[in-house]
């Protein structure tokens, strides 16, 4: 079909046919996106020995809540669409550069090569406090408890592992060749991979189906025993690669610092500005506490804007990794618990003097009365 579906909107010259490599990469990238919109998704099998492809077909059913032609177009990053109602074919035109298919396909192919390559590289990553999967290399942070993305580039991943991509491209004749290549990495530490015969043997049966990975563990144990016989079994015999090393290598130290600061700001707000703390320091309860806290947030934003010269209308939230820090939280971060309690009492007194609580209770009572009226 290709560009024929868009003949009335776009030139068919904009739709070159795809090579099998591009087709497979596109299918791997788009399948989970389509699955986010429909409960049942399948790609029909293509004709054997097909030399190129005009499009990529998905057969779908049972749309998830909120799914619509516009949401499908958004997740697919399509610039044009021809939606159809009912059990009919809808078409979406996706720019060739919408997804980095080459890099992603290369990384997925690498991790699935030789059977258990992904598991082997994952073990080395975990020993450095990292995680590696088809989405790339990440730091597994404990404080704050989250993951921090380092890179999706296979070239950069192999550079961090200290392994030659050109040697990988030459291919290996045996599993032993692969293991010897992996052992050249600074992350490889046989004594930490297999700390003892007991722990090594304990999981052998469960790992039986992963023959290459089991063979890798045997290889590591062999290396560990050899090191022990040579008198090099000390834990300090080989410097450990740490999370800090990874952050420096990928130039992510500033981002990590920003993430830690954002986490600290959020934690400070939870500890110093909870409903229970407001009740304790003001003697108030119920909705009055909520109204007071809303007013305090507004005052904090006003004060921060005034003191920092922030222009009204500028974004009031800052997103750092998984954290969104509001302006009131930034202002609160500069206050001690005593400062927060004093400020809360000050705002409470001002609201009482202005009759704010009485007015809000009158609104609340009127709302309840309206709700209880027979329809």
């Amino acid at each position: 079909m290709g560009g024929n579906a868009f003949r009335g909107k776009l030139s068919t010259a904009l739709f070159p046919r795809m090579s099998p490599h591009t087709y497979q990469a596109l299918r791997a990238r788009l399948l989970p996106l389509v699955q986010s919109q429909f409960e049942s998704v399948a790609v029909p099998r293509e004709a054997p020995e097909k030399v190129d492809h005009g499009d990529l077909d998905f057969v779908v059913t049972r749309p998830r809540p909120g799914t619509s032609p516009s949401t499908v177009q958004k997740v697919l990053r399509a610039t044009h669409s021809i939606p159809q109602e009912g059990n009919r074919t809808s078409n979406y035109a996706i720019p060739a550069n919408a997804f980095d298919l080459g890099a992603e396909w290369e990384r997925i192919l690498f991790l699935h090569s030789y059977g258990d390559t992904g598991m082997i590289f994952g073990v080395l990553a975990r020993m450095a406090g990292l995680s590696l999967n088809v989405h790339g290399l990440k730091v597994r942070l404990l404080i704050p408890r989250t993951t921090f993305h380092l890179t999706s580039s296979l070239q950069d991943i192999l550079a961090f592992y200290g392994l030659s991509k050109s040697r990988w491209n030459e291919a290996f004749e045996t599993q032993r060749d692969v293991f010897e290549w992996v052992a050249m990495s600074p992350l490889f530490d046989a004594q930490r991979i297999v700390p003892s015969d007991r722990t090594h043997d304990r999981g052998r049966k469960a790992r039986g189906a992963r023959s290459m990975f089991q063979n890798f563990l045997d290889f590591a144990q062999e290396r560990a025993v050899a090191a022990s016989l040579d008198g090099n079994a000390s834990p300090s015999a080989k410097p450990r690669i740490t999370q800090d090393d990874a952050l420096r290598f990928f130039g992510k130290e500033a981002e990590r610092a920003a993430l830690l600061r954002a986490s600290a700001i959020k934690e400070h707000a939870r500890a110093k500005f909870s409903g229970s703390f407001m009740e304790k320091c003001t003697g108030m309860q119920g909705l009055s506490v909520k109204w007071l806290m809303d007013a305090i947030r507004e005052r904090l934003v006003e004060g921060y804007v005034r003191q920092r010269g922030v222009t009204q209308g500028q974004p009031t939230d800052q997103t750092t990794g998984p954290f969104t820090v509001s302006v009131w939280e930034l202002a609160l971060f500069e206050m001690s618990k005593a400062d927060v309690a004093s400020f809360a009492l000050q705002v409470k007194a001002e609201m009482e003097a202005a009759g704010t609580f009485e007015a809000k209770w009158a609104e609340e009572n009127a709302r309840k009365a309206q709700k209880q009226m027979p329809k």
Side-chain angles (χ1 to χ4, degrees):
M1 187 162 53
N4 292 335
F6 294 90
R7 187 182 299 275
K9 289 186 175 183
L10 304 168
S11 169
T12 55
L14 296 175
F15 296 89
R17 296 186 67 80
M18 295 178 285
S19 68
H21 176 90
T22 301
Y23 175 86
Q24 293 169 8
L26 187 65
R27 180 178 63 186
R29 184 66 178 88
L30 297 188
L31 181 59
L33 300 181
V34 180
Q35 288 172 331
S36 72
Q37 300 296 303
F38 299 90
E39 293 185 19
S40 298
V41 181
V43 178
R45 294 185 181 275
E46 292 288 344
E49 302 177 3
K50 195 168 184 178
V51 297
D52 57 24
H53 304 266
D55 61 7
L56 173 58
D57 295 323
F58 291 98
V59 179
V60 302
T61 187
R62 294 188 295 175
R64 298 186 187 277
T67 293
S68 67
S70 60
T71 62
V72 174
Q73 180 174 351
K74 183 177 180 179
V75 299
L76 295 180
R77 305 181 190 178
T79 54
H80 297 83
S81 68
I82 305 177
Q84 300 287 350
E85 297 294 333
N87 298 325
R88 301 175 62 189
T89 300
S90 296
N91 300 278
Y92 297 89
I94 303 172
N97 61 353
F99 301 95
D100 185 7
L101 299 178
E104 180 173 7
W105 180 249
E106 182 183 41
R107 186 176 62 255
I108 293 174
L109 182 62
F110 172 84
L111 293 175
H112 286 83
S113 294
Y114 298 104
D116 296 333
T117 300
M119 293 182 66
I120 293 170
F121 272 69
V123 167
L124 269 60
R126 286 196 296 274
M127 292 194 302
L130 312 177
S131 64
L132 176 67
N133 57 29
V134 294
H135 301 293
L137 189 65
K138 301 178 181 180
V139 173
R140 302 167 64 184
L141 301 177
L142 294 179
I143 302 175
R145 187 172 292 277
T146 185
T147 56
F148 185 75
H149 188 262
L150 294 173
T151 183
S152 298
S153 166
L154 177 60
Q155 184 76 36
D156 292 343
I157 291 171
L158 288 178
F160 174 70
Y161 274 71
L163 297 174
S164 167
K165 189 171 185 294
S166 61
R167 176 64 187 94
W168 171 267
N169 292 337
E170 293 173 5
F172 300 96
E173 295 295 328
T174 66
Q175 290 187 5
R176 182 81 181 193
D177 290 340
V178 178
F179 302 157
E180 294 285 357
W181 177 68
V182 171
M184 297 173 65
S185 171
L187 276 72
F188 178 85
D189 188 335
Q191 296 165 11
R192 294 179 61 209
I193 293 174
V194 186
S196 70
D197 290 342
R198 185 176 59 181
T199 57
H200 174 59
D201 292 335
R202 185 184 302 150
R204 183 183 295 275
K205 183 177 180 180
R207 296 189 300 264
R210 313 301 315 192
S211 60
M212 181 180 179
F213 184 63
Q214 180 63 55
N215 292 339
F216 173 72
L217 295 181
D218 291 340
F219 169 84
Q221 185 182 44
E222 175 189 318
R223 285 293 191 94
V225 170
S228 177
L229 294 175
D230 289 341
N232 296 322
S234 170
S236 61
K238 186 172 186 177
R240 293 187 179 185
I241 305 299
T242 67
Q243 290 185 348
D244 289 340
D245 295 324
L247 292 166
R248 281 191 295 271
F249 183 90
F250 292 102
K252 299 286 187 175
E253 294 168 294
E255 290 183 44
R256 168 67 192 280
L259 184 63
L260 287 174
R261 174 174 166 78
S263 174
I265 290 172
K266 300 293 288 187
E267 182 60 33
H268 180 88
R270 284 191 290 268
K272 304 295 192 298
F273 196 64
S274 65
S276 59
F277 178 67
M278 287 294 106
E279 290 179 355
K280 182 178 179 181
C281 69
T282 65
M284 305 178 73
Q285 291 183 334
L287 280 175
S288 295
V289 175
K290 176 187 180 303
W291 297 330
L292 174 62
M293 293 177 72
D294 289 342
I296 292 174
R297 290 188 186 93
E298 292 178 4
R299 303 288 182 87
L300 289 171
V301 171
E302 292 171 0
Y304 191 90
V305 168
R306 183 174 57 254
Q307 294 174 9
R308 302 302 174 92
V310 179
T311 304
Q312 290 287 354
Q314 287 185 347
T316 57
D317 294 335
Q318 300 177 8
T319 300
T320 303
F323 301 109
T324 298
V325 177
S326 300
V327 166
W328 70 266
E329 290 175 312
L330 286 171
L332 193 73
F333 192 58
E334 301 174 354
M335 302 171 66
S336 66
K337 204 165 190 175
D339 292 336
V340 175
S342 176
F343 189 62
L345 291 173
Q346 176 187 333
V347 175
K348 174 191 174 185
E350 293 174 358
M351 293 177 70
E352 288 175 336
T356 303
F357 292 114
E358 289 83 352
K360 285 190 171 293
W361 275 118
E363 293 175 2
E364 178 64 15
N365 292 332
R367 185 189 67 80
K368 289 181 179 179
Q370 179 67 27
K371 187 176 180 180
Q372 294 172 357
M373 288 180 63
K375 296 183 180 179

